[in-house]
Every structure is written in C-alpha cells, then in structure tokens.
Amino acid sequence: MFAFIISRILQALPVLLAVALISFAMFAYVGDPVAIMLGQDYTQAQRDALVADLGLDKPFWVQFGTFIGNAVQGEFGLSYRLSRPVADLIAERAPATLELAFTAAILALAVGVPMGVYTGLYRHSWLSRFFLTFSLIGVSLPTFLIGILLILVFAVSLGWLPSFGRGDTVKLGWWTTGFLTWTGVKALVLPAITLGLFQLTLIMRLVRAEMMEVLRTDYIKFARARGLPNRAVHFGHALKNTMVPVITIVGLQLGAIIAFAIVTETVFQWPGMGLLFIQSVGAADIPVMSAYLLLIALVFVTINLIVDLLYYAVDPRLRIGRGKGGH
C-alpha cells in the first residue's frame, strides 16, 4: 500500500510542475507587474530597483525555480490589488469555499444515491418518472440560472432565505465557520443547492444506470436462486458493486465543485476563493490567480489519490491483482 501511494504521488508531480509552469508564465506574459505595483508616476531608477527586488532581471528558469521553492513553502508574494500576502488571502477565503463545497457534495450524495437506487429498482413507478424529470432540470439548466431562480423564489418572493453573503460566522482559531450560527446556516442553503444540483442529478442517473446493469448479471440471479431476500440482494450485492464508478465520478466532481464554485460564489456574493479569483482576474492580480491555479491542481491530485485508495476498499479484485503482481 505504501509503495502504491508513493507511485501515485510521483505520477502527480509532473502534473503539478506543468500547472506551476503555466502559473509562473502568467507573471512573464500577462501584464507588467512592475508597472502595476508602481502605478503611473515612477522614475527609471525606481523601476530598476523594483525589478532587482522581484528578481525579474534573472533568467527565466532561475525565476521559475525560485517560484517553485516559494510555492512549496506557501509563499506566493503580495497581491497587486490588496497589497497583502496572497497566502493570507487564500487562508481567509478557503473556509467559506470548503464549507460550501462539502455541503453541496454531501447534499448531492445523500439525495442522489437513494434517488438513483429507487429509480433503478422501481423504474416504472410514477415517483421514478418524477425523479427523472426533476433530474433534467439539474442537468440542462446552467448553474447561474438556477441560482437566480432560487433567489427570485426563496429570497425575493417568499423572503425565507438571504440572497447574498455568508451570514454571521464564528472564529475557531484561524478557521471561520457559519455552521454554528442560524444566519450562517440559512445563508448556506441556496448556494449549496445551486452548486450541488448538477452533481445530484449526475449521481442519481449514474447510480440508476449501474443498478439496472448489475441487476441483470448472473451473480444477482444466483443470489436470488439461493433464496436471499430482496434487501440483501439489492443492498448487499447490487449496490456495493455499483460503487466503483460512482466513487470515480464523486471524487472528480468534488474537485470540480471546489474549482468551479466561481459562478455560484459570484451569483451569491459568497466570500470564498472563487469570488476572490474573479475579482483578481478583473484587476490582473497575477499572484492570486497563480496561487489559485496551483491550489486547485493540488486539490484534484489529492482527491484522485483518495479515490484510488477507496478502490482498494470497495473492489477486492484490485487487492488480489496487486497481490499477484498485476496492475
């Protein structure tokens, strides 16, 4: 197992280096950081001094090596727009994005898997047809439109939930959470539904298709022939064997939820990393943009590693294969 983890980490390193190279290239080819930091009134001596301080007079690969070394230590320089360390800005915004992303993911799993199982087992019932029709909304409507419709109904017309912001938060060390206040929980409802609706419908349709496929296999027929009750056949044999593709999709979608929460955070003015990224794009704040790209790449790599490890827990064929020296 340890060798497997090390091999996966080594495979991920080229990916992270490629993303780091793209992030660093933005410094060299997008805008002029010296002009952005000095403004319009500066002398040539001031410009030369700042170029030397930033190390921009050194060769490209030397600058890239310095960038990698600083990134490993969590140092991404100062934000051009806010004149604050980028690491501090990311640390302030990360709790909001992570709380929103994990709430949306849990919502998608807690609702999508049971709906998928039900529609797979009772595919001709009227409730299954209703669920399938409902899933078309999540798949076909864009995220920003779903968010606007939810705001119109639940915030503007009914006045039940807030339309923007994070509500009151409680500080626990460096982490700020909205789970411990009523206004924080209410503010989380609409963004979480907006962000998780597409993943919910995707998981529901995937589980339904896998359940219908598994229920036609020979070992399910054999289990029925042994006289096992439907509950044991459905949840002890069929559902367990549908989990491998579901874990793959859920893992990738969790990364996508964190990476592409930008639209939802913009619609609801949610103070997370996605909104920070959008504001940074408008101001050409390259240090924040590059740090965000690297962080998202790290999230995807970490989630893929976790998904690979979960395969071992769910599918015994992989353990047997590696035990015999297979791949």
Side-chain angles (χ1 to χ4, degrees):
M1 177 63 75
F2 181 73
F4 171 75
I5 295 174
I6 295 297
S7 68
R8 286 293 187 270
I9 292 175
L10 291 177
Q11 290 174 10
L13 284 179
V15 177
L16 292 175
L17 284 175
V19 176
L21 181 60
I22 294 172
S23 302
F24 177 73
M26 290 195 299
F27 281 97
Y29 301 111
V30 179
D32 184 357
V34 177
I36 294 173
M37 296 179 74
L38 289 177
Q40 295 182 346
D41 298 324
Y42 59 86
T43 64
Q44 185 61 38
Q46 290 174 321
R47 180 181 177 84
D48 293 341
L50 185 56
V51 167
D53 288 341
L54 295 176
L56 300 178
D57 54 345
K58 296 177 181 176
F60 179 86
W61 293 109
V62 175
Q63 295 182 45
F64 181 59
T66 304
F67 175 77
I68 292 292
N70 292 334
V72 170
Q73 301 175 45
E75 296 290 338
F76 295 97
L78 292 175
S79 165
Y80 296 160
R81 185 171 61 92
L82 301 173
S83 299
R84 293 182 55 197
V86 174
D88 291 349
L89 293 173
I90 296 289
E92 288 176 3
R93 301 296 188 99
T97 295
L98 293 179
E99 283 192 357
L100 174 61
F102 281 106
T103 303
I106 291 173
L107 174 69
L109 275 175
V111 180
V113 172
M115 287 173 65
V117 172
Y118 181 85
T119 54
L121 295 177
Y122 309 102
R123 52 184 181 275
H124 298 301
S125 69
W126 67 267
L127 189 56
S128 294
R129 297 179 190 278
F130 171 77
F131 285 157
L132 290 174
T133 304
F134 167 76
S135 70
L136 289 176
I137 298 175
V139 171
S140 56
L141 289 183
T143 301
F144 74 91
L145 184 58
I146 293 173
I148 292 172
L149 290 175
L150 289 176
I151 289 174
L152 180 64
V153 175
F154 294 99
V156 177
S157 300
L158 300 176
W160 292 350
L161 297 168
S163 60
F164 67 92
R166 198 184 174 195
D168 297 326
T169 58
V170 175
K171 201 165 186 177
L172 302 174
W174 65 273
W175 187 276
T176 58
T177 179
F179 289 139
L180 300 179
T181 64
W182 178 237
T183 57
V185 173
K186 288 176 65 178
L188 187 61
V189 174
L190 293 183
I193 293 175
T194 303
L195 189 58
L197 189 58
F198 176 80
Q199 280 71 26
L200 186 155
T201 54
L202 185 67
I203 291 171
M204 189 203 83
R205 286 182 168 269
L206 178 64
V207 171
R208 177 179 181 270
E210 290 295 325
M211 282 291 290
M212 292 171 62
E213 182 68 26
V214 168
L215 288 174
R216 288 195 290 265
T217 55
D218 291 338
Y219 70 89
I220 293 295
K221 296 176 182 174
F222 180 70
R224 293 189 189 281
R226 289 169 55 200
L228 293 178
N230 283 336
R231 185 173 182 178
V233 173
H234 293 161
F235 298 102
H237 295 273
L239 180 59
K240 188 174 181 180
N241 286 282
T242 63
M243 284 295 106
V244 172
V246 173
I247 288 173
T248 305
I249 295 299
V250 169
L252 294 176
Q253 288 301 315
L254 178 59
I257 285 175
I258 297 174
F260 304 120
I262 295 172
V263 175
T264 303
E265 291 187 2
T266 303
V267 170
F268 290 94
Q269 288 298 291
W270 186 263
M273 293 187 296
L275 184 60
L276 175 66
F277 179 76
I278 286 294
Q279 293 168 342
S280 301
V281 169
D285 197 344
I286 305 299
V288 175
M289 294 163 60
S290 63
Y292 182 82
L293 289 178
L294 277 176
L295 181 63
I296 293 304
L298 183 62
V299 167
F300 269 100
V301 168
T302 304
I303 288 175
N304 280 334
L305 177 62
I306 294 173
V307 168
D308 286 342
L309 295 177
L310 286 176
Y311 284 165
Y312 267 61
V314 173
D315 194 344
R317 294 172 297 181
L318 297 177
R319 295 193 293 271
I320 295 173
R322 289 196 70 84
K324 293 179 179 177
H327 298 284

